[in-house]
Amino acid sequence: MQELHDTALAPLTTFRLGGPADRLITATTDDEVIAAVREADDSGTPLLLIGGGSNLVIGDKGFAGTALRIATRGFDLDGTKLELAAGEVWTDAVARTVEARLAGIECLAGIPGSAGATPIQNVGAYGQEVSSTITEVVAYDRESRETVTMSNAECAFSYRHSRFKGDPERFVVLRVRFELEDAAGLSAPLRYAETARMLGVDPGDRVPVDAARETVLKLRSGKGMVLDPEDHDTWSAGSFFTNPILTREEFAAFHARVAERLGDGVVPPAYPADDEHTKTSAAWLIDKSGFTKGYGTGPARISTKHTLALTNRGGATTEDLLALAREVVAGVHDAFGITLVNEPVTVGVSL
């Protein structure tokens, strides 16, 4: 294991924000990960887990404890069964499954971060979620102090949520196992209208798996959602807010606010979440509340390509970013009565 002291964490995050950690350990094997976690737990030292850093907002004061960077590697493909070490770069793993002509995660191409983070957030985009292909997650249980293998059902997946996210201090993801599909080189049925439209097919159709991946990458790039060190629109955590899921009563009240603010002819985005709930678009809410692309005058601004991404234009502090996020949350609530919830994990700070 590599060990450094008083080390900057900003370079390990896609926001490029945050102060130093008292100690930074880089672990390259599962045993090293477990040893570092046990050491921190035994000594009562606060522990921060870092993978790809694409979902972290670290405070300007940094982290008073041990930051553990999980840099394990392992890509094992056996037929349609895939096992990834937690530290594997997610977008590279997706590319390799597409090269193998397997379907199931091709529309999750271009998402920054590590494989181990995907079950925590139940990562999803363009009509796919990892929960639809994950079969098992191998994790270290800090409570029982043993390695456990959890089935898909035991992970308790829901929209951008899981058992791991609900109990963030207990589990450390070590490996993720997937069951992909051999559809003779075709993708899974396309479930996102924009992707299907770009490909000239109908939702539900299949296309060559590499075409699906390339189309998603083009869509994400156009929204500043594919990492590019030269493009400040990608100095972000991607979508900063989750899409609100509303009860019938909440959606009715929201619909009335929309009519009052924008006129009777305006229909807000609505997607069935289940029999009792409707999901709407956080990006739409932000835009219609007056926070358009490029909003802001300081070093932290809304992306020029997508209203759902808050960005560091260079020289920003975490407090600059949080001030912008709070302004957006307050503005959306004032306009539509909905409180947006941040998707990235905050460390030492909060909205």
Side-chain angles (χ1 to χ4, degrees):
M1 287 187 291
Q2 181 189 65
E3 181 174 332
L4 300 171
H5 294 267
D6 194 25
T7 300
L9 296 179
L12 302 182
T13 73
T14 53
F15 265 124
R16 295 165 172 80
L17 296 176
D22 289 350
R23 182 171 69 151
L24 172 65
I25 292 175
T26 298
T28 57
T29 68
D30 290 353
D31 286 344
E32 288 180 353
V33 171
I34 293 170
V37 173
R38 284 178 173 168
E39 179 193 38
D41 289 346
D42 289 344
S43 62
T45 303
L47 181 67
L48 171 64
L49 303 177
I50 300 178
S54 61
N55 202 44
L56 283 178
V57 178
I58 299 173
D60 293 317
K61 293 182 179 179
F63 184 70
T66 296
L68 172 59
R69 180 170 172 259
I70 299 176
T72 53
R73 291 292 181 266
F75 179 101
D76 183 13
L77 185 61
D78 181 9
T80 57
K81 299 183 185 300
L82 172 67
E83 179 178 289
L84 297 177
E88 278 290 324
V89 177
W90 174 252
T91 192
D92 292 347
V94 172
R96 293 178 69 177
T97 66
V98 169
E99 289 172 4
R101 293 165 53 83
L102 296 176
I105 56 176
E106 63 278 2
C107 291
L108 303 178
I111 294 176
S114 62
T118 61
I120 298 171
Q121 194 78 0
N122 186 17
V123 164
Y126 296 97
Q128 289 183 344
E129 289 182 329
V130 292
S131 58
S132 66
T133 52
I134 287 176
T135 57
E136 295 178 329
V137 174
V138 180
Y140 175 69
D141 184 344
R142 298 170 69 181
E143 185 174 293
S144 66
R145 297 176 64 85
E146 62 183 1
T147 300
V148 297
T149 299
M150 302 169 68
S151 68
N152 183 290
E154 290 172 321
C155 294
F157 291 119
S158 59
Y159 173 66
R160 300 298 175 271
H161 198 75
S162 69
R163 182 177 180 183
F164 311 106
K165 188 173 180 180
D167 195 358
E169 300 300 318
R170 180 169 178 180
F171 298 103
V172 180
V173 174
L174 301 173
R175 300 191 167 264
V176 189
R177 294 172 180 154
F178 302 81
E179 179 66 47
L180 304 177
E181 180 186 6
D182 185 350
L186 296 179
S187 69
L190 298 175
R191 303 190 183 282
Y192 196 74
E194 187 179 14
T195 311
R197 186 168 57 251
M198 285 272 291
L199 286 159
V201 299
D202 295 324
D205 288 349
R206 294 176 184 261
V207 298
V209 68
D210 56 341
R213 174 180 175 268
E214 289 303 319
T215 298
V216 166
L217 287 173
K218 289 178 183 177
L219 287 169
R220 291 186 65 87
S221 293
K223 298 174 182 178
M225 298 292 187
V226 176
L227 293 182
D228 178 353
E230 302 302 318
D231 182 1
H232 283 279
D233 279 329
T234 73
W235 290 31
S236 74
S239 300
F240 195 87
F241 300 103
T242 57
N243 290 320
I245 296 178
L246 309 175
T247 64
R248 291 179 179 178
E249 294 76 14
E250 289 169 339
F251 188 80
F254 165 53
H255 201 281
R257 294 284 287 269
V258 170
E260 177 185 337
R261 181 180 177 88
L262 303 176
D264 291 332
V266 177
V267 179
Y271 314 95
D274 55 40
D275 292 341
E276 300 294 329
H277 296 84
T278 300
K279 181 167 65 175
T280 192
S281 166
W284 187 90
L285 289 166
I286 293 167
D287 182 71
K288 298 303 180 184
S289 299
F291 303 101
T292 53
K293 296 175 184 177
Y295 178 88
T297 57
R301 304 178 198 172
I302 290 177
S303 166
T304 66
K305 300 181 180 72
H306 199 290
T307 54
L308 200 49
L310 308 187
T311 68
N312 172 10
R313 310 313 295 186
T317 64
T318 301
E319 194 52 44
D320 293 328
L321 176 75
L322 294 175
L324 175 62
R326 292 172 186 134
E327 183 182 1
V328 171
V329 169
V332 168
H333 188 268
D334 289 345
F336 298 110
I338 293 175
T339 301
L340 294 178
V341 176
N342 53 290
E343 187 167 328
V345 175
T346 55
V347 178
V349 292
S350 65
L351 292 190

